[in-house]
Amino acid sequence: MIDSMHGALVDLAHVRIDGWAPLMLTIAAVVAIVSWIVCRRRRVVGVVAVAMTIAACVAQLNANVLGYPTAAAALGHPPATLPAAEKVIEADIPGVVSGFRARPASIYLPPAYSVDTHAPLPVLVLLTGQPGHVVDWLQGGHLARTMDTYAAAHDGLAPVVVVADGLGDTEANPMCMDSDLGNAFTYLSVDVPAWAKSHLQVSEDPHSWAIGGYSYGGTCALQAAVLAPTVYPTFLDISGEDEPRRGTRAESVTAAFGDDSEASEKRFDAVAPLEVMAKREFPSTAGAFLAGSEDGEFRPQVLRAYDRAVASGMDAHYRELPGGHSMDVWAPALEVEVDWLSSRMGLTD
């Protein structure tokens, strides 16, 4: 009888709280009174009825006052109603401030996002390589699978992931800066966060935000982290370059600012991450640098960026994965760093 009563209470704890609570309260009260009068010696029945009454009272109180989605959630247990997999949506994020014309973003919403009542979730902004499209993270990058695996091990919790367009077009290369090529930096550091905070149930605490990417996206993530450290205090640089590039340095400067004069080069240096880290300290920023062990072109650049980040006071770490400059490195890189990212963003201890 005691085991049966315990099982019934456990079941009650996972029942959705809605309009049946008043009815249950009435029935349980009647059962308690009748069982107490008729079966005074059968105290177990009375205990069960009293327990049901208490459970119903808690349910009613919660539904009208506390607002937990289930009694299990109120007791600190994971909700039993979490969906099993992710939800990916597409959304236009306009360049309200930047004027940057971006393609629609893909947004991963973890299982916990579907729960009626949940705390604002952290946000990871991800960027692709160049040429590229946001769907690259979902297809070859296995984003949903990686995040679902993490969520399954953390009671449905995972960051909301906004795969934003930092290019404007598949073949475009605005070098993730504000220049004659478009205001890509302002788009990613102002427009994207503002849109997410107003359209999604996500945290507004900057400590809960991170940015990451591979190749062009890795370079861009490092740039955003050093130029907007209060927006993105955490970053993931996978196989990125040590500075923005469109050909040679002179060609890059000219593409961005019209010529390769000394004035234009100074403007370029002001947004080049290694130059910025050489002049500023970043004790509140943390970054992960990853590269393929066989990536002869980008691995040395990632190492240079990592060394400069450490010298600037960042909490940085470096990791190599088997492979070259491909998704064989980029997809696993997110898998191995998602725990660290989530911890930095306050999702886990």
Side-chain angles (χ1 to χ4, degrees):
M1 176 65 79
I2 297 299
D3 289 341
S4 298
M5 181 179 72
H6 177 265
L9 290 175
V10 170
D11 290 340
L12 279 172
H14 291 85
V15 173
R16 186 72 183 177
I17 294 169
D18 51 31
W20 55 261
L23 177 60
M24 181 180 173
L25 177 61
T26 303
I27 295 173
V30 172
V31 171
I33 295 169
V34 171
S35 63
W36 185 258
I37 295 172
V38 177
C39 305
R40 291 172 119 188
R41 294 184 181 179
R42 294 182 182 179
R43 304 216 171 176
V44 173
V45 176
V47 170
V48 173
V50 171
M52 290 177 66
T53 303
I54 293 172
C57 289
V58 171
Q60 183 69 1
L61 174 64
N62 176 76
N64 290 283
V65 181
L66 301 179
Y68 289 102
T70 64
L75 294 170
H77 301 298
T81 56
L82 284 177
E86 92 293 343
K87 179 179 181 182
V88 177
I89 62 174
E90 183 179 280
D92 286 312
I93 303 180
V96 175
V97 176
S98 66
F100 189 75
R101 294 186 177 181
R103 293 166 293 176
S106 289
I107 302 172
Y108 168 92
L109 302 175
Y113 193 89
S114 299
V115 176
D116 291 343
T117 303
H118 67 82
L121 294 171
V123 178
L124 170 62
V125 175
L126 282 183
L127 307 166
T128 69
Q130 188 278 331
H133 192 282
V134 295
V135 297
D136 296 345
W137 262 117
L138 294 164
Q139 295 175 354
H142 308 305
L143 170 65
R145 184 179 71 189
T146 295
M147 303 311 294
D148 276 347
T149 299
Y150 178 87
H154 295 84
D155 300 335
L157 292 170
V160 168
V161 184
V162 178
V163 187
D165 178 26
L167 296 171
D169 188 76
T170 300
E171 299 293 335
N173 180 3
M175 293 189 288
C176 204
M177 59 175 65
D178 290 350
S179 73
D180 296 347
L181 300 169
N183 297 327
F185 168 71
T186 295
Y187 177 72
L188 294 172
S189 63
V190 177
D191 290 325
V192 170
W195 183 91
K197 291 172 184 176
S198 64
H199 289 79
L200 303 172
Q201 191 171 339
V202 297
S203 175
E204 297 193 13
D205 182 352
H207 295 96
S208 298
W209 282 69
I211 189 168
Y214 61 81
S215 194
Y216 172 91
T219 314
C220 194
L222 177 59
Q223 287 172 250
V226 300
L227 296 174
T230 59
V231 178
Y232 298 117
T234 302
F235 68 91
L236 178 63
D237 178 355
I238 309 169
S239 304
E241 296 174 292
D242 54 7
E243 72 175 16
R245 279 192 178 82
R246 280 176 61 111
T248 66
R249 195 170 211 272
E251 290 171 338
S252 301
V253 173
T254 300
F257 303 114
D259 57 48
D260 63 348
S261 64
E262 182 178 350
S264 294
E265 188 152 353
K266 285 184 178 179
R267 291 178 66 188
F268 191 88
D269 285 344
V271 295
L274 268 65
E275 298 293 334
V276 175
M277 289 188 287
K279 298 173 183 176
R280 294 176 56 187
E281 294 186 347
F282 295 88
S284 299
T285 298
F289 294 84
L290 298 95
S293 59
E294 301 168 23
D295 190 346
E297 180 179 357
F298 288 81
R299 175 179 167 275
Q301 296 184 62
V302 173
L303 281 169
R304 283 195 291 274
Y306 164 70
D307 289 340
R308 187 63 59 85
V310 172
S312 72
M314 285 188 192
D315 177 9
H317 63 273
Y318 172 77
R319 189 193 305 263
E320 285 185 16
L321 298 175
H325 197 71
S326 72
M327 274 293 183
D328 291 338
V329 170
W330 305 331
L334 179 60
E335 292 179 23
V336 299
E337 294 296 345
V338 66
D339 283 320
W340 172 78
L341 284 168
S342 297
S343 177
R344 271 285 300 180
M345 293 188 284
L347 194 60
T348 59
D349 294 332

